[in-house]
Amino acid sequence: MGNIDIKSMNMAELIDFVERMGEKKFRAKQLYEWMHLKQAASFDEMSNLPAKFRERLKEECYFCVLHAAEILSSELDGTKKYLFELSDGNIIESVLMRYKFGNSVCISSQVGCRMGCKFCASTIDGVVRGLTAAEMLEQIYRIGKDIGERISHVVIMGSGEPLDNFDNFVRFIELLTNTDGLNLGQRNITVSTCGIVPKMRELADMKLQINLALSLHASSQEKRLKLMPVANKYALDEVLDACRYYFEQTGRRITFEYSLVAGVNDRDEDARELIDLVSKMNCHINLIPVNPISERDFKSPDNGAVVAFKNKLEKNNINVTIRREMGRDINGACGQLRRRYLKGVNS
Ligand code: SAH
């Protein structure tokens, strides 16, 4: 096996690659379809490619395929959590959620994360590396194959900060939405960021139709700093300006994620401040009762307090939803499943 990452190539690169191998251009399209439409698990499956060509591909290329190390299925709502092993032995997690509108997959964008958000399990041991475009796609392809159904929605809200892996992330979006591949609609894709301002602006300038979710989690710069170290680098007003810019460039309404932590950001004054902060924006707030992790002492407000917080926002005409907890019986916040698995393997 060589090291050319063929599954991360776009069509232009693939054409160039096959032509340099002395093959006709149409072979690139065949290859592309095998990889991204039929989602073949090996070159051997590519029956309309000459055997000799397949052998050369095997020698020169790395063919990225993820293998599920573990799959957990919820008895409650059909949610499935997957732990995938990468070719270098790293483990990542992905989640399938079944809704009336279709099948949605939540993918990881990095192995670990270096953003340091206080309540998040993914970041505890820092980042190992960013995922390649192929590794991001493969999470979706293998889950689609596992359930034998089309994946219609993708959220980049698993472990990692996608905008900290920007080039691979952009390539991933290009391949995911390509009409010769899975052909996902841009509006069915949501990327979540902790607020890497220059990259939010760069993404806005691309004028795509993908949805942007910002992890807000606090109603002032001072409070946000206590939860999210990234606020040291990009202040809240800059981040909100970048959100407004994204909306101007794309017309897509911004989602703010707000993980509610008891006694930290769920008080009356937090709600009031939050209302002032966002009331002039075309946005939607997604409240996430914090999922407690064993390494930290954060608690979720009780159900009544979460609903009360929501009502306060609603009374001020803010679009707000409480994130439905999926797969409660196989639960594990962002990155927890992977941590548990790694601990098990190492002990
Ligand atoms: N790096 C991206 C994606 C992270 S995960 C980002 O920061 O947006 C998606 C969301 O889950 C983020 O809003 C993140 O802050 C939140 N999150 C992570 N761990 C959580 C936990 N234990 N409880 C509640 N929300 C959590």
Side-chain angles (χ1 to χ4, degrees), residues 9-269:
M9 287 184 190
N10 63 17
M11 190 68 91
E13 289 170 347
L14 206 53
I15 289 172
D16 189 54
F17 176 67
V18 301
E19 285 183 340
R20 269 187 291 118
M21 286 179 86
E23 293 287 335
K24 294 254 166 47
K25 190 174 162 180
F26 76 94
R27 295 288 180 210
K29 178 136 187 186
Q30 286 179 321
L31 259 168
Y32 195 95
E33 284 188 356
W34 277 112
M35 290 190 287
H36 300 288
L37 184 67
K38 300 176 193 149
Q39 298 157 10
S42 71
F43 287 120
D44 291 324
E45 287 177 37
M46 304 182 182
S47 49
N48 58 357
L49 298 183
K52 260 205 182 126
F53 181 39
R54 277 185 285 174
E55 288 311 312
R56 282 184 63 202
L57 288 169
K58 275 192 225 169
E59 274 163 32
E60 295 200 16
C61 299
Y62 153 63
F63 192 76
C64 172
V65 183
L66 300 191
H67 298 283
E70 204 174 308
I71 304 177
L72 300 174
S73 304
S74 168
E75 302 291 323
L76 301 174
D77 53 27
T79 297
K80 281 180 137 188
K81 298 198 174 178
Y82 295 77
L83 282 171
F84 287 115
E85 181 167 4
L86 309 179
S87 60
D88 60 2
N90 276 302
I91 296 284
I92 54 168
E93 58 182 86
S94 328
V95 184
L96 164 76
M97 290 157 290
R98 292 163 178 273
Y99 295 103
K100 286 201 187 80
F101 57 75
N103 294 315
S104 178
V105 167
C106 173
I107 66 153
S108 293
S109 56
Q110 297 181 313
V111 181
C113 184
R114 62 182 181 129
M115 295 299 139
C117 299
K118 297 287 189 241
F119 43 78
C120 180
S122 304
T123 197
I124 291 173
D125 293 326
V127 72
V128 179
R129 64 176 178 86
L131 299 185
T132 63
E135 288 166 336
M136 289 185 250
L137 288 167
E138 265 292 304
Q139 298 172 58
I140 300 158
Y141 295 173
R142 287 314 125 207
I143 292 177
K145 286 270 179 191
D146 178 52
I147 63 169
E149 290 174 29
R150 182 176 164 79
I151 305 300
S152 57
H153 291 70
V154 169
V155 296
I156 303 100
M157 284 190 184
S159 294
E161 169 50 50
L163 302 192
D164 187 38
N165 184 22
F166 193 75
D167 293 346
N168 288 333
F169 164 72
V170 169
R171 172 55 60 88
F172 159 72
I173 298 291
E174 179 188 352
L175 298 177
L176 183 63
T177 54
N178 191 297
T179 47
D180 291 315
L182 197 58
N183 193 14
L184 218 78
Q186 290 184 8
R187 293 176 175 207
N188 290 0
I189 301 171
T190 300
V191 59
S192 178
T193 180
C194 62
I196 315 273
V197 169
K199 296 299 175 191
M200 291 166 72
R201 288 184 170 269
E202 207 174 321
L203 190 64
D205 287 333
M206 293 170 71
K207 295 188 196 299
L208 302 175
Q209 285 291 291
I210 63 177
N211 306 300
L212 183 68
L214 175 82
S215 296
L216 183 61
H217 304 321
S219 53
S220 71
Q221 166 67 3
E222 199 194 346
K223 292 178 196 169
R224 199 163 183 262
L225 261 176
K226 291 192 180 135
L227 292 172
M228 305 177 70
V230 68
N232 280 304
K233 192 147 186 205
Y234 305 110
L236 182 56
D237 52 354
E238 287 177 72
V239 176
L240 292 178
D241 275 347
C243 288
R244 279 185 273 267
Y245 184 70
Y246 191 87
F247 177 69
E248 281 162 23
Q249 296 302 306
T250 64
R252 302 302 290 160
R253 185 177 75 164
I254 301 290
T255 293
F256 291 120
E257 293 158 282
Y258 193 96
S259 296
L260 278 166
V261 188
V264 173
N265 63 4
D266 68 337
R267 295 157 301 181
D268 216 32
E269 59 160 87

